[in-house]
Structures are given as C-alpha cells and as structure tokens.
C-alpha cells in the first residue's frame, strides 16, 4: 500500500506518515473564569453561555487556541463571588469545547490565495490565514514568475529548471508551522517550505510519541515533596510542608531539655535541712 495519492496535476500527496498534514482541531474539557453581568442575575447560566458565545472564532489565551464552539456549560461553584463594589458575579465555568490549536512544527495543508515575490498567502479550511515569507521558500531551486496576462492572478512560484509549479492561486500546498502570531484576538500562522523545518517536524513527532508512551501517573505527594511546596491533605486542615527530612534534621539539632536527676533533688533537700 502506498503512502500517497496522485492528484489531478500529477503531484504525490502523502496520506499518512510523519510528513502528512495533520488536523489542528481538538475537543477539550476545560474551564474559564467569567464575570457574569448583573442583568443575568435571575439566569446566570444564560449569562455564562452568552459570554462564551462572544469568544467564538477568537483566540482565547487561557485556552491557547481559537474557540470554535462549546457545549455542556456548568458552574464549578454553587455561588458566584462579588468583589468590592463591582456588580459582576465572578465564577468558574466548565464546558466542552471544540478548538483549533496548531502547534509549531505541525504539518498542515492550505489553499494558496496570493503569490508575490516576497511571500505566499494561504487559507486553511477557508478561514485561517497562513503566510510563508520568502526566507522560508527554497529560492535556490524555485523562483517567482509574474503573470503577464491582463487578468493575471499575481504570478506563481515555479522550479528554475523545469515546469514544476510550487505554488499558485487556488492550488493546495503543504507546509510546516514555524510560528503562531496573535493580534486582536486573531491567530495567524507563519509557515515554511524548507526541508529543515520538515525534518524538525518529524523529530518532534517522534519525541512526542516517545513521551506519550513513557507518560505514567505521577504521585502528587512525591512531586510536592521534591519541590518543597506546601501541601494540604484530605485528613487535616492545617498546611504542612512536605520536606519532612528538613524538619527531622532540625529537630535532631535542637538539644533536649536537661532533666533533673533524683540524686540532685535529694542533695538539695539535705542541704536545706542543715540550714
């Protein structure tokens, strides 16, 4: 079985493997702290839903992704918190979200919307903007060829010694994400066509797979003990430090109080009688 298919232009498009395009869509269980306006005091859940709706198709820093949709909205507490004289109710809201969260080194595919001498512009899923600057294009083997026709679409990138087309408008192109840029709650990507970034992408995939296989549950108590941070157990209400070795050593350094022997007490009694 081959790991590619031939498109209508004769290109080999990978269908699996480390260099194949992958999806950046993810379904996550998460929570956000929201400030519910007082107008929703009689129906706070509707207020929380409306606040989440206002974040749809925007980059949310707390999620590190673009929020696409959400369901199963629930409050984490039974009551909200009103701070000082603010009329807003602050509360944590749990929900299930569909997000778009590409990562650096990820292989993706987009449709070219513009070719120019200094960059290539693409759209992923007809929505998200991607830019490939000239320094991330193999200029040793490819060059920009302008369109001389009156209704030209801005030119294209072609191979220097053959008729191979690297990028032209309305053509799909695979790339590697090298940077995420956020501005005005919008997420755009900077991508690369160089083999060096594709190699790094492959090595990152291998490392990620290895880390996932080696990932094991960690004892929170041991982690806290190693970091020497305060922990609170379920059986006690007092705050304790997990560095028991330090407390033991400090107790050993302290000298115990000297106890008065019985012979010393008797000698003091006889001396008092003589007086």
């Amino acid at each position: 079985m081959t790991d590619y298919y031939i498109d209508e232009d004769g290109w080999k498009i990978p269908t699996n493997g480390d260099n194949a395009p992958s999806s950046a869509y993810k379904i996550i269980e998460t929570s956000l702290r929201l400030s519910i306006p007082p107008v929703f005091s009689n129906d706070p859940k509707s207020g929380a839903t409306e606040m989440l709706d206002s974040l749809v198709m925007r980059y949310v820093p707390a999620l590190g992704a673009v929020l696409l949709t959400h369901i199963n909205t629930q409050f984490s507490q039974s009551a909200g918190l009103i701070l000082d004289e603010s009329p807003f109710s602050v509360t944590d809201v749990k929900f299930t979200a569909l997000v778009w969260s590409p990562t650096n080194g990820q292989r993706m595919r987009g449709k070219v919307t513009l070719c120019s001498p200094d960059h290539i512009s693409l759209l992923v899923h007809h929505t998200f903007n991607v830019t490939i600057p000239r320094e991330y294009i193999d200029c040793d083997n490819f060059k920009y060829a302008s369109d001389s026709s009156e209704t030209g679409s801005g030119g294209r990138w072609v191979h220097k010694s053959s008729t191979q087309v690297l990028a032209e408008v309305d053509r799909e192109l695979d790339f590697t994400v090298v940077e995420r840029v956020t501005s005005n709650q919008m997420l755009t990507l900077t991508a690369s066509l160089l083999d060096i970034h594709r190699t790094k992408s492959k090595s990152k995939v291998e490392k990620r797979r290895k880390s996932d296989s080696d990932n094991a549950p960690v004892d929170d108590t041991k982690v806290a003990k190693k970091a020497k941070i305060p922990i609170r157990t379920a059986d006690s209400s007092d705050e304790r430090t997990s560095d028991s070795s330090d407390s033991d050593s400090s107790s050993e350094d302290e000298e115990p109080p000297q106890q008065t022997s019985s012979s010393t007490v008797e000698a003091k009694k006889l001396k008092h009688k003589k007086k």
Side-chain angles (χ1 to χ4, degrees), residues 4-261:
Y4 62 87
Y5 70 91
I6 307 298
D7 67 357
E8 58 184 5
D9 296 324
W11 281 64
K12 295 181 179 180
I13 307 298
T15 57
N16 54 51
D18 295 333
N19 288 328
S22 57
S23 175
Y25 292 111
K26 298 177 183 178
I27 298 177
I28 59 173
E29 300 286 341
T30 185
S31 64
L32 286 177
R33 178 160 295 180
L34 302 178
S35 296
I36 310 299
V39 68
F40 296 104
S41 58
N42 293 329
D43 190 4
K45 190 171 183 179
S46 297
T49 302
E50 184 168 323
M51 295 292 292
L52 292 176
D53 288 343
S54 67
L55 299 176
V56 171
M57 293 306 297
R58 297 181 181 274
Y59 178 78
V60 183
L63 303 180
V66 177
L67 178 63
L68 302 179
T69 187
H70 60 89
I71 57 174
N72 301 332
T73 304
Q74 297 178 352
F75 290 107
S76 300
Q77 302 94 2
S78 58
L81 179 64
I82 296 179
L83 302 175
D84 299 329
E85 298 178 356
S86 174
F88 291 83
S89 176
V90 181
T91 182
D92 292 332
V93 178
K94 299 185 297 184
F95 58 96
T96 303
L98 173 64
V99 299
W100 190 73
S101 179
T103 58
N104 291 341
Q106 183 174 355
R107 292 285 294 169
M108 302 187 70
R109 177 177 299 164
K111 180 172 285 189
V112 178
T113 59
L114 175 67
C115 287
S116 70
D118 59 349
H119 76 283
I120 300 173
S121 295
L122 306 93
L123 278 179
V124 177
H125 307 303
H126 305 281
T127 305
F128 305 103
N129 291 300
V130 180
T131 300
I132 304 176
R134 183 183 180 90
E135 56 265 29
Y136 291 149
I137 301 175
D138 185 8
C139 295
D140 293 336
N141 297 314
F142 293 90
K143 66 179 181 178
Y144 175 77
S146 61
D147 195 340
S148 59
S149 63
E150 296 180 357
T151 59
S153 56
R156 56 184 180 174
W157 281 84
V158 297
H159 198 276
K160 289 183 177 180
S161 59
S162 67
T163 58
Q164 180 184 356
V165 178
L166 176 66
E168 63 180 347
V169 175
D170 293 334
R171 186 190 187 96
E172 289 188 339
L173 181 65
D174 293 348
F175 56 86
T176 303
V177 179
V178 294
E179 185 180 6
R180 293 161 36 121
V181 182
T182 57
S183 177
N184 298 325
Q185 295 183 310
M186 302 298 291
L187 175 63
T188 59
L189 303 178
T190 301
S192 172
L193 300 178
L194 299 179
D195 292 337
I196 183 174
H197 293 113
R198 184 182 303 181
T199 305
K200 290 181 179 179
S201 173
K202 183 177 179 180
S203 62
K204 284 184 179 181
V205 171
E206 294 175 350
K207 289 181 180 179
R208 191 181 303 113
R209 288 176 179 174
K210 184 177 180 180
S211 62
D212 292 341
S213 61
D214 295 341
N215 190 15
V218 181
D219 190 348
D220 294 338
T221 306
K222 291 182 179 179
V223 173
K225 185 175 181 179
K226 183 177 180 180
K228 298 182 180 180
I229 60 175
I231 60 173
R232 185 182 296 275
T233 62
D235 298 332
S236 62
S237 59
D238 59 330
E239 194 175 75
R240 302 178 181 177
T241 58
S242 59
D243 192 7
S244 57
S245 60
D246 290 348
S247 60
D248 294 341
S249 60
S250 60
S251 61
E252 291 176 358
D253 295 338
E254 296 178 357
E255 295 183 359
Q258 295 182 354
Q259 297 181 355
T260 307
S261 61

